[in-house]
Amino acid sequence: MSLVQVMLLSSANAFTASLSSSASASSSPLFANNNNVKKSNDAFLNSLEEIDGKEPSSESLAVLRESASSNIETILSTFSDKDPPDKKLKGALQEEASNNKNASRSNTASPPITPQPQHEWDVYICLSKNSKERGASATLDTFQSLSPPSVQIHPAILSKSKAKGPNVRCVQVNHPHKAFEVNNVNEIDKVYRILTKHMGIEDISLQARDCLKFTYQGNSHLEQNELSEAIASYNSALATNYQPQEGILLLLRATAYLKRAFAHQVELRKTVNDLSDSVPDPTDLGRLYQIAAQHPSLSKPLFNKVMRDCKLQDKKFRQTKYRHGLYEYALLHAAQDSLRSTQLLPHHAKTWLRAGDALAELRKLKESALYYQKAIELDPTLRDRLEPVIERLERSQQFLEKAKGWYSRDTLRLVLDVAG
């Protein structure tokens, strides 16, 4: 017999003995229904005998508690309103009955369901100064981009380590003792290896990994003003057809094309200045003709010089047209990418801002102002910066309307593009 059974049996026997002795010594209504008390107590003892010799289960223990509760309630039912027993005794019996009922309910109810965690892994990315200098922000972004919902990413400050950062600590939620830490996580392939090999996560998109790899390469080239390499990297990223990144990639490529357009504009101005310097002053050209007329022997050399100068001017003019073409080509690409990004990311103010920049450079001034206004609507912090630009665009539009009667369309465009 278990310890629980011994305690319950001892309590029952002692309680029954006390009731019997009290009943023979008194005629109070408390013991008028002593037979009911005995029956209830017998049922209690029978329940106890059924589990004799083995540990009671939750269900058996519930039966015992229910029997004990019924035993006490039977006693309470013998009280008479006209001749109440001692208040302390009745209060004690009521409290014990209530406790037994609660215990019975708690044991018969379904076992409590332990809430399962919504995720399986916690990954902590160290964003200390040392780790940030080594690219921890990019590591954090990579984990957030590649990780499925079962992995939660947390920026943190991890304990100082002599190892090179960025440092990453991975903790399995249900098995925290299996935590591990990896240092020098500064490449996308390392992040991918941690997720797939060390954490055992299989549903990581190779498409997303390759797209991010080319994107970060493009960003690095863009920061170093290596525009051709940046555009090539963004082209490779877009070729992966990873749709969630398309809008951002188009915005980044538009930025690269716009910077390339500005670089071509600088070269265009230099070429135009060289062309201007190669064109002789009309007064000087008239003097050469006078000299040739006065000295026929010099006419041929002077003629040859004029012809060489004309060829040089023609070469520089073609260079000017070429540079201008490169400038407009880059602008058209920037406008195309930025306009498409506004469709993919309509709530992203920077897409509308970049589209406004490209349209302004293309002398689409009315359209540019509309895009700038949309950017302000999405991000009111841009108001102080863009409102003066919008006012300047309106004045430029008025000037263009007047200038159309003075110059051809191509000449006017070239003049304005050189002037900036």
Side-chain angles (χ1 to χ4, degrees):
M1 185 178 292
S2 69
L3 178 61
V4 174
Q5 295 169 1
V6 172
M7 292 176 66
L8 288 170
L9 183 58
S10 299
S11 299
N13 289 334
F15 193 45
T16 304
S18 64
L19 289 175
S20 299
S21 61
S22 299
S24 61
S26 174
S27 59
S28 169
L30 172 62
F31 304 105
N33 297 322
N34 196 44
N35 291 332
N36 293 336
V37 174
K38 187 176 184 303
K39 290 180 182 179
S40 178
N41 192 58
D42 289 342
F44 173 70
L45 293 176
N46 291 335
S47 299
L48 185 61
E49 289 173 358
E50 290 178 2
I51 61 170
D52 187 29
K54 55 185 178 181
E55 283 294 325
S57 64
S58 297
E59 292 77 7
S60 299
L61 188 57
V63 172
L64 291 175
R65 290 187 180 277
E66 188 65 35
S67 298
S69 178
S70 299
N71 198 331
I72 295 171
E73 287 179 340
T74 302
I75 297 170
L76 290 174
S77 67
T78 64
F79 288 133
S80 170
D81 293 336
K82 297 180 180 180
D83 188 13
D86 182 80
K87 291 183 179 180
K88 291 185 178 179
L89 174 60
K90 185 173 181 180
L93 291 173
Q94 287 175 332
E95 181 179 357
E96 186 171 353
S98 176
N99 290 339
N100 282 332
K101 279 189 173 181
N102 291 336
S104 176
R105 280 195 292 267
S106 65
N107 281 287
T108 57
S110 301
I113 300 175
T114 304
Q116 296 297 319
Q118 298 295 323
H119 61 287
E120 299 176 6
W121 287 89
D122 285 308
V123 177
Y124 299 89
I125 315 297
C126 183
L127 294 182
S128 64
K129 182 179 179 181
N130 179 55
S131 291
K132 279 188 174 181
E133 290 174 351
R134 296 179 180 275
S137 298
T139 302
L140 175 65
D141 183 59
T142 302
F143 267 104
Q144 290 174 334
S145 299
L146 293 182
S147 298
S150 60
V151 180
Q152 286 194 0
I153 311 301
H154 311 276
I157 301 295
L158 303 181
S159 58
K160 292 184 178 180
S161 173
K162 294 182 179 180
K164 292 182 178 180
N167 303 321
V168 176
R169 181 176 297 164
C170 305
V171 182
Q172 194 169 4
V173 176
N174 292 329
H175 305 283
H177 60 281
K178 293 185 179 181
F180 63 90
E181 189 165 328
V182 185
N183 302 309
N184 198 28
V185 185
N186 56 357
E187 297 177 5
I188 292 179
D189 286 336
K190 292 181 180 180
V191 173
Y192 181 80
R193 188 161 57 249
I194 290 172
L195 290 169
T196 56
K197 183 177 180 181
H198 298 291
M199 297 170 61
I201 300 174
E202 298 179 353
D203 54 340
I204 305 297
S205 170
L206 288 173
Q207 195 180 25
R209 182 199 66 178
D210 294 340
C211 180
L212 287 175
K213 185 187 298 185
F214 289 125
T215 301
Y216 285 132
Q217 289 177 0
N219 292 347
S220 177
H221 289 308
L222 189 61
E223 289 177 0
Q224 299 174 32
N225 213 35
E226 298 170 346
L227 303 178
S228 296
E229 292 83 354
I231 291 171
S233 296
Y234 295 141
N235 289 342
S236 298
L238 286 165
T240 64
N241 293 319
Y242 183 59
Q243 299 300 320
Q245 282 287 107
E246 184 181 359
I248 292 295
L249 284 169
L250 289 172
L251 176 61
L252 290 169
R253 193 171 68 175
T255 302
Y257 271 120
L258 199 56
K259 292 185 72 173
R260 173 185 272 183
F262 293 149
H264 286 317
Q265 188 180 44
V266 172
E267 296 299 320
L268 174 62
R269 288 170 179 168
K270 291 180 180 179
T271 305
V272 170
N273 289 335
D274 290 342
L275 175 60
S276 299
D277 292 340
S278 67
V279 175
D281 183 271
T283 304
D284 294 336
L285 192 59
R287 290 174 181 173
L288 286 177
Y289 280 112
Q290 290 179 0
I291 293 173
Q294 295 173 359
H295 305 280
S297 59
L298 298 177
S299 59
K300 187 174 181 179
L302 291 175
F303 176 77
N304 291 336
K305 181 182 183 310
V306 171
M307 291 301 298
R308 287 195 301 270
D309 291 343
C310 288
K311 289 181 180 180
L312 178 62
Q313 293 163 18
D314 182 64
K315 179 181 178 180
K316 291 184 180 297
F317 181 73
R318 283 187 279 109
Q319 288 177 347
T320 300
K321 290 183 64 177
Y322 172 72
R323 288 294 178 187
H324 190 228
L326 291 177
Y327 170 72
E328 289 195 324
Y329 177 81
L331 282 180
L332 289 171
H333 269 289
Q336 182 180 15
D337 284 350
S338 58
L339 289 172
R340 174 60 178 157
S341 70
T342 61
Q343 296 175 332
L344 296 173
L345 301 172
H347 303 295
H348 198 325
K350 189 170 287 187
T351 61
W352 298 88
L353 174 63
R354 191 65 69 242
D357 292 339
L359 291 171
E361 293 297 322
L362 286 169
R363 307 303 160 191
K364 301 293 183 180
L365 305 184
K366 292 181 179 179
E367 295 84 351
S368 175
L370 293 176
Y371 277 81
Y372 281 147
Q373 288 169 356
K374 181 63 175 179
I376 294 173
E377 179 183 330
L378 294 172
D379 184 2
T381 62
L382 294 172
R383 185 178 304 277
D384 292 342
R385 171 187 169 188
L386 292 182
E387 282 188 342
V389 176
I390 295 174
E391 293 176 0
R392 188 169 65 249
L393 290 176
E394 293 174 352
R395 292 195 298 269
S396 298
Q397 182 65 37
Q398 295 173 0
F399 170 78
L400 280 178
E401 295 297 332
K402 296 179 180 179
K404 286 179 180 179
W406 306 337
Y407 303 99
S408 67
R409 181 179 178 182
D410 291 342
T411 302
L412 180 60
R413 191 170 69 246
L414 176 60
V415 170
L416 293 174
D417 290 343
V418 172

